[in-house]
Amino acid sequence: LLLVALLLGYGLVDCPRHVWNISNPEGELRRTRIVASSADEALFEAVWELQDCEALIDAAASRVGGLDEHGTRTQMDPHYARCVDKLLTRRKATATLSPQLQRRRTAGNQRRRSHSEELDQSIPTLDVLAKLNGRLQQAQSEVVAAEQRWNAILAKNKLYSDLVEETINRPIRIDVDPSDTLLKVIHARITSCTSHVRYMWLKWLRGPFYRVLGTFCASLSLMVLWSEATLALPFNVSPFAILLGLFDSGETKDRGLLFQLAALVPLLYMSVCVYSSLFKFSLFGNFRLRGSKQSPGAALLFNAQYLVRLQFPLGYNYLFMIKFDTSATNCAFSHVMHNMSTVPFFGTSFSVYAPLLILALCGFTLCNGYARLLAALGVEHEDAILIGDQETLDSKVNEGITLLRRASDRQDSTPLNKDDSSRGLELV
């Protein structure tokens, strides 16, 4: 419950603000250009770390030796030989990267090697091979994530530049040959319809839609804060409880679809606020969630496990917030969460400390306290990068424009084939 209160306090402010910011293409374009230099540097660091791992593995393989003319291990423990072969196979998977990543390699890069690794010339043990394998896996995952983040920034820069400069591609018209097959005709119609819908969305509907959605999210946040702030009152003044009362006939079996929707929408919104905060905070190190298609499978499973754990206290908080009477129900959830009342700190005093904590976190987030704290601590985070004086931010914008233009020119001059563009994805 304490973690839910912390995440909810942050998300109730950050979610509406994020949705509203999306409706402003000028601001989002500036933000994209500011973070471009950090993403470019992170991609360089990831490639260099991978190169360091490859150099260490090559050095370890040269000390192992024992290769015959067919390239197989001789006079070696079979288990040890399999470990070496698997390590070299994994190392070869990224021996040749895509052209954009390959040019980021450097011939003399020998960074981050420990003193013991440089001086130890003995045959590596299984523990050393296992550490090298783990470090290589981590380096390969970081390269994939950094490359996908950089590609996402390039796509966002292209999108917001088109929106700001009003250079959106007009719908394409596809002429259909009467002799074409039915599938080709259907594909042409769908492509043409999709092009028209996309043009209408970007040209006229996108901005108003996100502004309306941001206003709706802000209204829900205010109602949630009001409901949380009035938990300790002896009577129920929650707007959600009042709305549910309009659709509640008093009989459990007679509660229809409208009652279920009215009860589900606030809970879904609170869940989005909590889970988006968990994504934004990046609490779990290597298991943290990243951008779209940038998180490895282990991170997805780890965070999915946490989401399941957080849903139960969040549901308890929601029922407690609207003061819903669960005594007439016989569901398993009410029996399990009823035991919370036996813990004084998390049960009886929850109505006192939870609203204060959530309100304090909302005020802290509203003043960009989280970003300012990260910037003061020197933590590399997207929010911390956006904190600074106007001159510093303007220099980052100019640097981002240069990097993005250079990358866009390289993409236009060196088109990727299918194998190159998907080479990194095969590592996940």
Side-chain angles (χ1 to χ4, degrees), residues 110-337:
Q110 300 293 333
R111 308 166 308 109
R112 298 179 180 173
R113 293 191 184 184
S114 65
H115 186 66
S116 59
E117 287 176 329
E118 291 180 343
L119 296 181
D120 189 6
Q121 298 298 325
S122 60
I123 297 178
T125 62
L126 282 176
D127 291 338
V128 172
L129 295 179
K131 292 180 180 179
L132 288 175
N133 183 69
R135 182 175 173 181
L136 179 62
Q137 283 184 304
Q138 180 64 28
Q140 290 175 338
S141 298
E142 290 293 336
V143 168
V144 172
E147 182 185 17
Q148 290 174 338
R149 183 192 177 196
W150 176 249
N151 292 335
I153 288 178
L154 289 176
K156 289 177 62 176
N157 178 72
K158 178 66 169 60
L159 172 63
Y160 291 124
S161 296
D162 291 342
L163 292 174
V164 171
E165 300 170 3
E166 297 184 355
T167 57
I168 305 172
N169 295 330
R170 299 190 66 85
I172 58 177
R173 179 184 180 89
I174 302 178
D175 296 328
V176 179
D177 192 338
S179 61
D180 289 339
T181 62
L182 179 60
L183 290 179
K184 288 185 178 181
V185 173
I186 294 176
H187 180 266
R189 298 300 185 189
I190 293 177
T191 303
S192 179
C193 180
T194 303
S195 177
H196 280 79
V197 170
R198 182 180 184 275
Y199 179 79
M200 293 177 58
W201 164 256
L202 294 177
K203 187 69 175 179
W204 294 297
L205 302 179
R206 182 184 180 278
F209 172 79
Y210 279 114
R211 283 192 287 270
V212 172
L213 182 60
T215 305
F216 177 71
C217 292
S219 303
L220 287 179
S221 293
L222 290 176
M223 288 191 287
V224 171
L225 286 176
W226 174 258
S227 301
E228 294 282 358
T230 57
L231 276 177
L233 296 180
F235 45 88
N236 194 351
V237 292
S238 171
F240 302 122
I242 297 174
L243 181 62
L244 288 175
L246 299 177
F247 303 105
D248 190 1
S249 61
E251 298 292 335
T252 304
K253 296 181 179 180
D254 295 336
R255 290 168 181 166
L257 180 62
L258 292 178
F259 179 86
Q260 297 176 16
L261 290 178
L264 183 62
V265 170
L267 181 59
L268 284 179
Y269 179 71
M270 294 171 65
S271 301
V272 171
C273 292
V274 170
Y275 299 154
S276 63
S277 301
L278 190 67
F279 168 78
K280 199 73 172 289
F281 280 160
S282 302
L283 298 175
F284 305 123
N286 294 332
F287 293 101
R288 68 187 183 277
L289 288 178
R290 309 182 190 187
S292 175
K293 301 180 181 179
Q294 300 174 23
S295 301
L300 294 176
L301 291 175
F302 183 84
N303 284 271
Q305 181 183 14
Y306 250 90
L307 296 189
V308 173
R309 292 180 178 180
L310 290 176
Q311 189 61 45
F312 291 98
L314 179 62
Y316 176 80
N317 180 27
Y318 174 65
L319 293 177
F320 198 63
M321 180 184 71
I322 63 176
K323 294 182 173 63
F324 188 76
D325 184 16
T326 59
S327 59
T329 64
N330 194 30
C331 62
F333 180 80
S334 62
H335 290 291
V336 171
M337 300 308 292

